[in-house]
PDB file of all heavy atoms in Angstrom:
ATOM      1  N   VAL T  71      -5.919  10.371   6.664  1.00 97.00           N
ATOM      2  CA  VAL T  71      -7.019  10.918   5.852  1.00 97.00           C
ATOM      3  C   VAL T  71      -8.320  10.160   6.074  1.00 97.00           C
ATOM      4  O   VAL T  71      -9.303  10.392   5.370  1.00 97.00           O
ATOM      5  CB  VAL T  71      -6.656  10.959   4.349  1.00 97.00           C
ATOM      6  CG1 VAL T  71      -5.519  11.931   4.106  1.00 97.00           C
ATOM      7  CG2 VAL T  71      -6.333   9.581   3.806  1.00 97.00           C
ATOM      8  N   GLY T  72      -8.351   9.251   7.042  1.00 94.00           N
ATOM      9  CA  GLY T  72      -9.558   8.482   7.341  1.00 94.00           C
ATOM     10  C   GLY T  72      -9.199   7.351   8.282  1.00 94.00           C
ATOM     11  O   GLY T  72      -8.065   7.249   8.749  1.00 94.00           O
ATOM     12  N   ASP T  73     -10.170   6.510   8.563  1.00 92.00           N
ATOM     13  CA  ASP T  73      -9.962   5.380   9.455  1.00 92.00           C
ATOM     14  C   ASP T  73      -9.016   4.385   8.797  1.00 92.00           C
ATOM     15  O   ASP T  73      -9.376   3.735   7.812  1.00 92.00           O
ATOM     16  CB  ASP T  73     -11.296   4.720   9.787  1.00 92.00           C
ATOM     17  CG  ASP T  73     -11.164   3.648  10.847  1.00 92.00           C
ATOM     18  OD1 ASP T  73     -10.248   3.752  11.683  1.00 92.00           O
ATOM     19  OD2 ASP T  73     -11.975   2.704  10.821  1.00 92.00           O
ATOM     20  N   MET T  74      -7.780   4.293   9.292  1.00 94.00           N
ATOM     21  CA  MET T  74      -6.720   3.446   8.737  1.00 94.00           C
ATOM     22  C   MET T  74      -6.458   3.764   7.265  1.00 94.00           C
ATOM     23  O   MET T  74      -6.218   2.882   6.445  1.00 94.00           O
ATOM     24  CB  MET T  74      -7.046   1.966   8.921  1.00 94.00           C
ATOM     25  CG  MET T  74      -6.977   1.504  10.370  1.00 94.00           C
ATOM     26  SD  MET T  74      -5.345   1.652  11.131  1.00 94.00           S
ATOM     27  CE  MET T  74      -4.501   0.253  10.413  1.00 94.00           C
ATOM     28  N   GLN T  75      -6.521   5.069   6.927  1.00 97.00           N
ATOM     29  CA  GLN T  75      -6.201   5.554   5.590  1.00 97.00           C
ATOM     30  C   GLN T  75      -5.167   6.669   5.717  1.00 97.00           C
ATOM     31  O   GLN T  75      -5.364   7.605   6.496  1.00 97.00           O
ATOM     32  CB  GLN T  75      -7.430   6.110   4.878  1.00 97.00           C
ATOM     33  CG  GLN T  75      -8.484   5.077   4.578  1.00 97.00           C
ATOM     34  CD  GLN T  75      -9.664   5.708   3.863  1.00 97.00           C
ATOM     35  OE1 GLN T  75     -10.032   6.849   4.121  1.00 97.00           O
ATOM     36  NE2 GLN T  75     -10.249   4.950   2.962  1.00 97.00           N
ATOM     37  N   PHE T  76      -4.103   6.560   4.918  1.00 98.00           N
ATOM     38  CA  PHE T  76      -3.010   7.514   5.023  1.00 98.00           C
ATOM     39  C   PHE T  76      -2.517   7.940   3.645  1.00 98.00           C
ATOM     40  O   PHE T  76      -2.601   7.174   2.687  1.00 98.00           O
ATOM     41  CB  PHE T  76      -1.837   6.898   5.804  1.00 98.00           C
ATOM     42  CG  PHE T  76      -2.224   6.461   7.182  1.00 98.00           C
ATOM     43  CD1 PHE T  76      -2.625   5.152   7.420  1.00 98.00           C
ATOM     44  CD2 PHE T  76      -2.203   7.348   8.233  1.00 98.00           C
ATOM     45  CE1 PHE T  76      -2.998   4.747   8.694  1.00 98.00           C
ATOM     46  CE2 PHE T  76      -2.572   6.950   9.508  1.00 98.00           C
ATOM     47  CZ  PHE T  76      -2.975   5.651   9.738  1.00 98.00           C
ATOM     48  N   LYS T  77      -2.008   9.173   3.572  1.00 98.00           N
ATOM     49  CA  LYS T  77      -1.310   9.684   2.403  1.00 98.00           C
ATOM     50  C   LYS T  77       0.068  10.138   2.868  1.00 98.00           C
ATOM     51  O   LYS T  77       0.259  10.456   4.039  1.00 98.00           O
ATOM     52  CB  LYS T  77      -2.043  10.886   1.799  1.00 98.00           C
ATOM     53  CG  LYS T  77      -3.310  10.538   1.066  1.00 98.00           C
ATOM     54  CD  LYS T  77      -3.940  11.774   0.484  1.00 98.00           C
ATOM     55  CE  LYS T  77      -3.801  11.698  -1.016  1.00 98.00           C
ATOM     56  NZ  LYS T  77      -4.448  12.805  -1.705  1.00 98.00           N
ATOM     57  N   ILE T  78       0.996  10.181   1.924  1.00 98.00           N
ATOM     58  CA  ILE T  78       2.328  10.694   2.202  1.00 98.00           C
ATOM     59  C   ILE T  78       2.446  12.014   1.459  1.00 98.00           C
ATOM     60  O   ILE T  78       2.215  12.075   0.242  1.00 98.00           O
ATOM     61  CB  ILE T  78       3.411   9.687   1.765  1.00 98.00           C
ATOM     62  CG1 ILE T  78       3.222   8.366   2.527  1.00 98.00           C
ATOM     63  CG2 ILE T  78       4.799  10.270   2.007  1.00 98.00           C
ATOM     64  CD1 ILE T  78       4.091   7.234   2.045  1.00 98.00           C
ATOM     65  N   THR T  79       2.793  13.089   2.173  1.00 96.00           N
ATOM     66  CA  THR T  79       2.713  14.438   1.608  1.00 96.00           C
ATOM     67  C   THR T  79       3.563  14.640   0.359  1.00 96.00           C
ATOM     68  O   THR T  79       3.152  15.356  -0.536  1.00 96.00           O
ATOM     69  CB  THR T  79       3.096  15.506   2.652  1.00 96.00           C
ATOM     70  OG1 THR T  79       4.395  15.217   3.166  1.00 96.00           O
ATOM     71  CG2 THR T  79       2.079  15.556   3.779  1.00 96.00           C
ATOM     72  N   ASP T  80       4.720  14.030   0.254  1.00 91.00           N
ATOM     73  CA  ASP T  80       5.569  14.222  -0.925  1.00 91.00           C
ATOM     74  C   ASP T  80       5.384  13.135  -1.983  1.00 91.00           C
ATOM     75  O   ASP T  80       6.205  13.019  -2.889  1.00 91.00           O
ATOM     76  CB  ASP T  80       7.040  14.294  -0.518  1.00 91.00           C
ATOM     77  CG  ASP T  80       7.376  15.597   0.185  1.00 91.00           C
ATOM     78  OD1 ASP T  80       6.520  16.511   0.194  1.00 91.00           O
ATOM     79  OD2 ASP T  80       8.491  15.714   0.723  1.00 91.00           O
ATOM     80  N   ASP T  81       4.324  12.360  -1.884  1.00 95.00           N
ATOM     81  CA  ASP T  81       4.050  11.294  -2.849  1.00 95.00           C
ATOM     82  C   ASP T  81       3.524  11.904  -4.144  1.00 95.00           C
ATOM     83  O   ASP T  81       2.412  12.431  -4.180  1.00 95.00           O
ATOM     84  CB  ASP T  81       3.036  10.319  -2.264  1.00 95.00           C
ATOM     85  CG  ASP T  81       2.642   9.193  -3.197  1.00 95.00           C
ATOM     86  OD1 ASP T  81       3.237   9.074  -4.289  1.00 95.00           O
ATOM     87  OD2 ASP T  81       1.728   8.438  -2.834  1.00 95.00           O
ATOM     88  N   LYS T  82       4.314  11.858  -5.207  1.00 95.00           N
ATOM     89  CA  LYS T  82       3.917  12.483  -6.469  1.00 95.00           C
ATOM     90  C   LYS T  82       2.716  11.809  -7.111  1.00 95.00           C
ATOM     91  O   LYS T  82       2.080  12.380  -7.979  1.00 95.00           O
ATOM     92  CB  LYS T  82       5.085  12.515  -7.448  1.00 95.00           C
ATOM     93  CG  LYS T  82       5.521  11.164  -7.972  1.00 95.00           C
ATOM     94  CD  LYS T  82       6.679  11.309  -8.935  1.00 95.00           C
ATOM     95  CE  LYS T  82       7.104   9.966  -9.500  1.00 95.00           C
ATOM     96  NZ  LYS T  82       8.202  10.109 -10.437  1.00 95.00           N
ATOM     97  N   TYR T  83       2.385  10.595  -6.656  1.00 97.00           N
ATOM     98  CA  TYR T  83       1.234   9.883  -7.209  1.00 97.00           C
ATOM     99  C   TYR T  83      -0.067  10.180  -6.464  1.00 97.00           C
ATOM    100  O   TYR T  83      -1.141   9.907  -6.973  1.00 97.00           O
ATOM    101  CB  TYR T  83       1.490   8.376  -7.205  1.00 97.00           C
ATOM    102  CG  TYR T  83       2.673   7.972  -8.042  1.00 97.00           C
ATOM    103  CD1 TYR T  83       3.865   7.571  -7.454  1.00 97.00           C
ATOM    104  CD2 TYR T  83       2.609   8.003  -9.432  1.00 97.00           C
ATOM    105  CE1 TYR T  83       4.954   7.206  -8.230  1.00 97.00           C
ATOM    106  CE2 TYR T  83       3.690   7.639 -10.208  1.00 97.00           C
ATOM    107  CZ  TYR T  83       4.859   7.245  -9.603  1.00 97.00           C
ATOM    108  OH  TYR T  83       5.937   6.892 -10.371  1.00 97.00           O
ATOM    109  N   GLY T  84       0.014  10.702  -5.250  1.00 97.00           N
ATOM    110  CA  GLY T  84      -1.192  10.985  -4.465  1.00 97.00           C
ATOM    111  C   GLY T  84      -1.924   9.734  -4.022  1.00 97.00           C
ATOM    112  O   GLY T  84      -3.154   9.720  -3.930  1.00 97.00           O
ATOM    113  N   LEU T  85      -1.182   8.683  -3.719  1.00 98.00           N
ATOM    114  CA  LEU T  85      -1.783   7.406  -3.346  1.00 98.00           C
ATOM    115  C   LEU T  85      -2.366   7.456  -1.940  1.00 98.00           C
ATOM    116  O   LEU T  85      -1.857   8.148  -1.067  1.00 98.00           O
ATOM    117  CB  LEU T  85      -0.730   6.300  -3.415  1.00 98.00           C
ATOM    118  CG  LEU T  85       0.000   6.138  -4.746  1.00 98.00           C
ATOM    119  CD1 LEU T  85       1.071   5.060  -4.636  1.00 98.00           C
ATOM    120  CD2 LEU T  85      -0.972   5.838  -5.869  1.00 98.00           C
ATOM    121  N   VAL T  86      -3.441   6.696  -1.742  1.00 98.00           N
ATOM    122  CA  VAL T  86      -4.025   6.520  -0.420  1.00 98.00           C
ATOM    123  C   VAL T  86      -3.760   5.078  -0.011  1.00 98.00           C
ATOM    124  O   VAL T  86      -4.145   4.134  -0.713  1.00 98.00           O
ATOM    125  CB  VAL T  86      -5.540   6.807  -0.406  1.00 98.00           C
ATOM    126  CG1 VAL T  86      -6.140   6.483   0.959  1.00 98.00           C
ATOM    127  CG2 VAL T  86      -5.815   8.249  -0.784  1.00 98.00           C
ATOM    128  N   TYR T  87      -3.081   4.915   1.107  1.00 98.00           N
ATOM    129  CA  TYR T  87      -2.753   3.605   1.647  1.00 98.00           C
ATOM    130  C   TYR T  87      -3.790   3.300   2.717  1.00 98.00           C
ATOM    131  O   TYR T  87      -4.013   4.116   3.601  1.00 98.00           O
ATOM    132  CB  TYR T  87      -1.347   3.621   2.257  1.00 98.00           C
ATOM    133  CG  TYR T  87      -0.294   4.068   1.262  1.00 98.00           C
ATOM    134  CD1 TYR T  87      -0.003   5.424   1.095  1.00 98.00           C
ATOM    135  CD2 TYR T  87       0.380   3.148   0.492  1.00 98.00           C
ATOM    136  CE1 TYR T  87       0.950   5.838   0.172  1.00 98.00           C
ATOM    137  CE2 TYR T  87       1.337   3.561  -0.433  1.00 98.00           C
ATOM    138  CZ  TYR T  87       1.612   4.903  -0.586  1.00 98.00           C
ATOM    139  OH  TYR T  87       2.547   5.305  -1.501  1.00 98.00           O
ATOM    140  N   GLN T  88      -4.414   2.130   2.629  1.00 96.00           N
ATOM    141  CA  GLN T  88      -5.447   1.835   3.623  1.00 96.00           C
ATOM    142  C   GLN T  88      -5.413   0.377   4.039  1.00 96.00           C
ATOM    143  O   GLN T  88      -4.907  -0.481   3.326  1.00 96.00           O
ATOM    144  CB  GLN T  88      -6.823   2.209   3.110  1.00 96.00           C
ATOM    145  CG  GLN T  88      -7.307   1.443   1.915  1.00 96.00           C
ATOM    146  CD  GLN T  88      -8.675   1.937   1.454  1.00 96.00           C
ATOM    147  OE1 GLN T  88      -8.978   3.122   1.500  1.00 96.00           O
ATOM    148  NE2 GLN T  88      -9.502   1.021   1.019  1.00 96.00           N
TER     149      GLN T  88
END
Side-chain angles (χ1 to χ4, degrees):
V71 295
D73 187 28
M74 290 298 283
Q75 294 180 325
F76 302 93
K77 287 181 110 176
I78 300 171
T79 56
D80 288 350
D81 178 6
K82 68 180 182 179
Y83 299 107
L85 305 177
V86 174
Y87 304 87
Q88 64 182 37

